[in-house]
């Protein structure tokens, strides 16, 4: 089971019924697999809109709002909305795409230190490095987003963890 399918399965099990996104190659597996299990994909024109929409959805529904964005600028474009969710105490899960694990820090497409950038603005952030770490990270993120004072969380998902190994 690839990481995209793991993410979709866990979101569905937690009654997440939609994901806000600006489609990108790094995260396509999450979107394809989520649609396959019946999660609605709402594509917007900017990553900030995806995160603001997920925040609004959270406030209106009482569920964790989920936004999936591509690596680098996709993640950086969510920062204002993430900070807004933090201040409003909204449970929000940002799924951020990332370069392949073996290419991290080597100047590949859209590779920046997303963790350093986003950690001050979220309750918890994770970077799974192996496929077996993806599901526990998503489960923990959903729990932390809702417990105590609710707020945003971030999980960085490297592209090589999201697709089947053959791809």
């Amino acid at each position: 089971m690839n990481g995209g399918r793991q993410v979709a399965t866990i979101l569905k099990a937690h009654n997440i019924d939609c994901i806000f996104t600006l489609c990108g190659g790094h995260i396509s597996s999450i979107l394809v697999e989520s649609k396959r299990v019946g999660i609605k994909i709402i594509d917007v024109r900017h990553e900030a809109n995806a995160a603001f929409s997920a925040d609004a959805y959270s406030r209106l529904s009482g569920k964790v709002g989920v936004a999936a964005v591509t690596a680098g600028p996709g993640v950086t474009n969510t920062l204002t909305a993430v900070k807004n969710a933090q201040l409003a105490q909204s449970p929000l899960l940002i799924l951020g795409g990332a370069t392949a694990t073996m290419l991290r820090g080597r100047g590949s497409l859209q590779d920046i230190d997303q963790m350093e950038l986003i950690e001050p603005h979220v309750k918890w952030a994770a970077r799974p490095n192996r496929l077996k770490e993806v599901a526990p990270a998503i489960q923990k993120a959903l729990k932390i987003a809702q417990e105590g004072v609710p707020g945003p969380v971030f999980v960085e998902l490297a592209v090589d963890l999201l697709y089947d190994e053959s791809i």
Side-chain angles (χ1 to χ4, degrees):
M1 178 184 293
N2 67 42
R5 188 168 301 137
Q6 287 183 23
V7 172
T9 301
I10 293 164
L11 293 178
K12 186 69 171 179
H14 282 83
N15 297 315
I16 303 297
D17 54 9
C18 65
I19 297 173
F20 298 90
T21 190
L22 177 60
C23 293
H26 288 92
I27 57 164
S28 290
S29 178
I30 295 170
L31 305 176
V32 167
E33 297 293 344
S34 294
K35 186 173 181 181
R36 189 182 61 73
V37 299
I39 297 173
K40 186 175 182 179
I41 305 302
I42 302 170
D43 197 15
V44 299
R45 291 183 163 207
H46 194 280
E47 295 88 355
N49 292 341
F52 276 124
S53 297
D55 178 16
Y57 174 85
S58 174
R59 294 184 203 199
L60 293 170
S61 70
K63 298 179 183 180
V64 176
V66 179
V69 298
T70 195
V75 172
T76 64
N77 284 340
T78 69
L79 280 178
T80 300
V82 168
K83 192 65 177 182
N84 192 63
Q86 180 191 45
L87 295 171
Q89 301 174 357
S90 298
L92 182 66
L93 170 60
I94 302 292
L95 301 170
T99 192
T101 53
M102 66 184 285
L103 297 177
R104 197 178 289 142
R106 296 183 181 193
S108 66
L109 178 66
Q110 298 179 330
D111 182 29
I112 64 169
D113 188 351
Q114 299 175 151
M115 299 300 284
E116 181 77 21
L117 180 73
I118 205 159
E119 281 179 322
H121 310 289
V122 295
K123 289 180 68 175
W124 184 76
R127 175 191 277 163
N129 291 304
R130 295 180 292 186
L131 184 58
K132 71 179 186 176
E133 298 171 358
V134 171
I138 299 298
Q139 290 170 335
K140 186 172 182 179
L142 289 166
K143 181 180 183 220
I144 291 173
Q146 299 173 86
E147 70 184 8
V149 175
V153 293
F154 175 76
V155 179
E156 180 182 278
L157 296 162
V159 67
D160 56 317
L161 302 180
L162 295 177
Y163 291 90
D164 291 324
E165 190 173 348
S166 60
I167 294 175

